[in-house]
Amino acid sequence: MRETSILCLPIGAIEQHGAHLPLNTDVVVAEELTRRIVARWGDELDLWQLPTIAVSLSREHDWAPGTLSLSIANFVALLRDLARDIVRALPARNLVIVNGHGGNRGVLDNLLHELAGDFSLNACVIHPFDLSKVATQATSPDVHGGKSETSVMLALAPHLVRRNMIAAPSPPPDNDAISALIFDRGVSFPWRTDDPRLTASGAIGEAQAASAELGQAIVDSVVAETGGVLRRLLQNPRPPSASPQFR
């Protein structure tokens, strides 16, 4: 391992995904995508896979049995402690976080600045379902446990998908409410998956339209697109040296 090596950190979540997907769906997705990214780009760009962080920020699902969540403060503290130990124990100063859970995004986007300023880590976050260039042809908002996520699980871990429990949403969700509460860029709401306007099952999207073929296409697209992300990361200016109080 060298200073220019790239560390790859999968972050998942333990949370409900409707009746058809397991609690560790986001762990499986983050870890398996990272494995494939390392297999594809590891020799060329010197990638190393770190152990997976399984529990993250899942308060929007805390109504459901089995869901586990850290507080924001403890999530940030965990990642800062890990960054500090990476700098202590390893020569690599490049970090790619493969984020399997959309609920982590806002915190991770801000944490990148601290990883650079406090620990001199050149880091970025990959959000796989947004990075993919595959057109899913979803006819309703695909948010959680829906067409894309179920398809990827059918490609990566079909034995964990309860196919007999995949069903069309009933009653149909209020697409206007989903757009207003989740996708409106002008305002943020603490939306939850026990809100009957959004879902009656805990999943939001058309899981019944999922397929392993679509899932494999999404996986292949994410792995391919990650090559450009890694090259951009290596082109970034080196972060300033960490302040002594953070070493």
Side-chain angles (χ1 to χ4, degrees):
M1 189 180 291
R2 300 169 292 178
E3 183 175 334
T4 55
S5 300
I6 302 175
L7 304 173
C8 300
L9 174 64
I11 299 182
I14 302 295
E15 60 186 34
Q16 71 81 30
H17 280 78
H20 63 289
L21 292 179
L23 291 164
N24 67 334
T25 290
D26 295 342
V27 176
V28 172
V29 170
E31 190 165 77
E32 290 301 318
L33 281 176
T34 302
R35 197 185 316 279
R36 284 159 174 76
I37 288 166
V38 171
R40 171 61 181 87
W41 301 106
D43 290 342
E44 180 180 344
L45 298 174
D46 194 16
L47 308 187
W48 300 72
Q49 183 163 345
L50 293 171
T52 303
I53 294 176
V55 179
S56 56
L57 303 175
S58 300
R59 290 295 297 272
E60 67 270 35
H61 308 286
D62 63 8
W63 57 271
T67 293
L68 302 176
S69 184
L70 300 175
S71 67
I72 291 175
N74 284 335
F75 180 65
V76 170
L78 171 63
L79 290 174
R80 285 179 58 88
D81 278 352
L82 180 58
R84 184 179 292 107
D85 238 32
I86 285 171
V87 171
R88 177 194 61 79
L90 303 172
R93 293 296 179 266
N94 299 305
L95 176 67
V96 173
I97 296 171
V98 181
N99 177 37
H101 172 49
N104 297 333
R105 183 169 193 148
V107 172
L108 289 174
D109 286 353
N110 283 279
L111 186 62
L112 290 174
H113 297 285
E114 294 191 8
L115 297 182
D118 295 348
F119 305 104
S120 295
L121 282 176
N122 177 35
C124 70
V125 182
I126 289 174
H127 307 284
F129 291 98
D130 291 322
L131 186 64
S132 169
K133 298 299 188 263
V134 174
T136 63
Q137 309 298 329
T139 59
S140 67
D142 195 25
V143 179
H144 178 71
K147 185 175 184 179
S148 296
E149 199 163 24
T150 303
S151 294
V152 167
M153 284 296 287
L154 286 170
L156 296 179
H159 60 290
L160 297 179
V161 181
R162 302 179 184 91
R163 297 170 188 254
N164 63 316
M165 303 191 79
I166 298 176
S170 179
D174 183 338
N175 289 341
D176 290 338
I178 293 174
S179 296
L181 294 173
I182 300 175
F183 292 118
D184 187 344
R185 300 293 293 175
V187 60
S188 297
F189 289 102
W191 61 272
R192 294 173 55 85
T193 50
D194 59 350
D195 185 334
R197 296 171 296 176
L198 307 181
T199 172
S201 67
I204 305 175
E206 302 169 309
Q208 78 281 2
S211 69
E213 292 75 19
L214 174 60
Q216 190 60 54
I218 293 171
V219 169
D220 291 344
S221 180
V222 171
V223 172
E225 292 296 325
T226 298
V229 173
L230 297 170
R231 293 187 177 93
R232 286 196 298 275
L233 181 73
L234 292 174
Q235 293 169 0
N236 283 348
R238 179 172 175 154
S241 297
S243 302
Q245 67 266 31
F246 297 116
R247 291 175 185 166

